[in-house]
Amino acid sequence: MRAAALQLESQDDVAANLAVIAPLLRAAREDGAELVVLPEGFAFLGAEVDKAAHAEELGAGGPIQDFLRNQAVTHDFTIIAGGLPEKSADAARPYNTSLVVTPEGELAERYRKIHLFDVDLKDGTKLTESAGNSAGDEVRVVRVGDFGVGLSICYDLRFPELFRRERDGGAHVLTLPAAFTKTTGSAHWHVLLRARAIETQCYVIAAAQWGQHPRGRETFGDSLVIDPWGEVLAEKTEGVGFITADLSLERVLSVREQMPLERHRRL
C-alpha cells in the first residue's frame, strides 16, 4: 500500500485551509497514494477557545466532513484526517478527533485525542489544549486494506503505552498527525517517532504542521514515514507539500520474526 503524509501551514480560516489541501490530495493520488494522512489542525489552527465555533457532529455533515468525504470518493483513497473539532457534551470544549474516511465516503472510525497538551515552556510558548478541548479515552485501530492502522494525535507521541495497546490491537501502521511546536519538535520529534516504530515494530506515518500560525504559534514540520526497523523511508523537513512511501505487510512480519519481542515480553 502506498501511503502519503501531507505537511501544511494551516491558519484559522477553514475554507482557505481546505482550498490549499485539495490540490495536494489530487497530487498525492496521482503519485499512487491509497492512504493519505492529514496533520493535526488541518482545517483550523487558531486559538484553542475558538475551535468550538467550527466543531461538527460526526455523521451530520458540515464543511470539514463534507470536504473529506468528497475528496475520498473523488480520489478513491482512504483519508485519515488527523485532528478536527468534533462536538462533545461540553459545547465549549469539542474533542480533537482523528477521522477515518473510506473511498466510499463512509466515516469508518474516529479517535479522540487522549493526552491534551498543557505546557508553559521556557521559550515563552504557552499552550493550554484542555481550555478548548475535551479528552478522549479509547484506543482505536482501524483496518485499511490488509493493514491494521492505529490512530493517535501529536502529544500522544510521548506516551508509549498507547502505541503498545495499538500493537496489541492488531496495528501494523501507526499514524501520528501533529502540530509539534518548533522547540519541542527540534528536541524530541525525530527520536520519539523512530522509537515508537522500533518498539512496536510498526510503520509510522507522521503528518506535521510546519511554519507560522496565528497568535505567534510556530510548528516544527519534518513529516516522516518510518519503517518497522526504524529506517526513514520519506521525509519533508520544511514547507507545504507531501511525501509518499510504500508499505509492505511482509516487511512488518519479517521484522517481527527476526526480533520476536512479543514472545520475549515479560512485563
Side-chain angles (χ1 to χ4, degrees):
M1 178 172 65
R2 175 161 286 193
L6 265 60
Q7 184 158 290
L8 302 173
E9 191 177 16
S10 298
Q11 305 297 314
D12 56 5
D13 184 326
V14 171
N17 291 330
L18 299 183
V20 170
I21 294 168
L24 293 174
L25 291 175
R26 181 173 62 250
R29 187 66 183 102
E30 290 171 352
D31 196 33
E34 301 162 82
L35 170 67
V36 180
V37 182
L38 305 181
E40 182 183 28
F42 67 93
F44 177 84
L45 197 63
E48 296 294 342
V49 294
D50 293 337
K51 283 185 176 179
H54 303 283
E56 298 181 3
E57 180 181 348
L58 296 190
I64 301 173
Q65 289 177 79
D66 293 347
F67 171 83
L68 294 171
R69 297 174 80 166
N70 176 268
Q71 292 292 311
V73 171
T74 297
H75 299 302
D76 190 32
F77 55 27
T78 298
I79 298 175
I80 296 182
L84 59 89
E86 177 200 352
K87 287 184 177 180
S88 74
D90 183 342
R93 298 169 64 244
Y95 295 113
N96 187 350
T97 297
S98 181
L99 186 63
V100 182
V101 185
T102 72
E104 295 75 36
E106 300 299 323
L107 308 183
E109 187 57 277
R110 58 107 183 98
Y111 164 78
R112 295 164 173 165
K113 187 176 182 181
I114 293 174
H115 303 98
L116 300 183
F117 191 56
D118 292 353
V119 299
D120 192 352
L121 302 176
K122 291 182 178 179
D123 69 352
T125 300
K126 184 174 183 178
L127 291 168
T128 310
E129 193 172 15
S130 63
N133 297 269
S134 295
D137 58 7
E138 296 178 325
V139 178
R140 296 291 188 178
V141 176
V142 66
R143 203 78 184 173
V144 180
D146 293 331
F147 294 83
V149 179
L151 306 176
S152 66
I153 301 174
C154 200
Y155 190 46
D156 286 331
L157 178 60
R158 295 184 180 274
F159 302 90
E161 60 272 18
L162 170 61
F163 304 96
R164 171 81 256 137
R165 289 195 184 185
E166 291 184 353
R167 164 72 194 265
D168 290 344
H172 308 103
V173 180
L174 309 176
T175 56
L176 199 288
F180 249 62
T181 69
K182 187 169 185 180
T183 298
T184 59
S186 60
H188 300 143
W189 172 252
H190 207 279
V191 67
L192 285 175
L193 287 167
R194 291 191 67 214
R196 297 297 88 86
I198 293 166
E199 67 198 10
T200 63
Q201 301 173 307
C202 289
Y203 286 98
V204 170
I205 305 171
Q209 291 282 353
W210 165 87
Q212 304 292 328
H213 313 279
R215 302 168 67 89
R217 186 170 182 176
E218 187 173 7
T219 52
F220 181 62
D222 198 26
S223 295
L224 292 158
V225 181
I226 303 168
D227 89 344
W229 193 247
E231 295 180 1
V232 175
L233 302 180
E235 182 173 14
K236 183 171 181 58
T237 55
E238 299 179 335
V240 173
F242 68 93
I243 53 176
T244 57
D246 292 322
L247 314 184
S248 164
L249 187 59
E250 290 74 17
R251 173 63 169 162
V252 176
L253 299 178
S254 174
V255 167
R256 293 179 181 183
E257 181 60 30
Q258 292 177 59
M259 188 74 67
L261 300 183
E262 291 309 296
R263 295 205 298 269
H264 298 160
R265 194 170 302 282
R266 293 294 177 267
L267 300 178

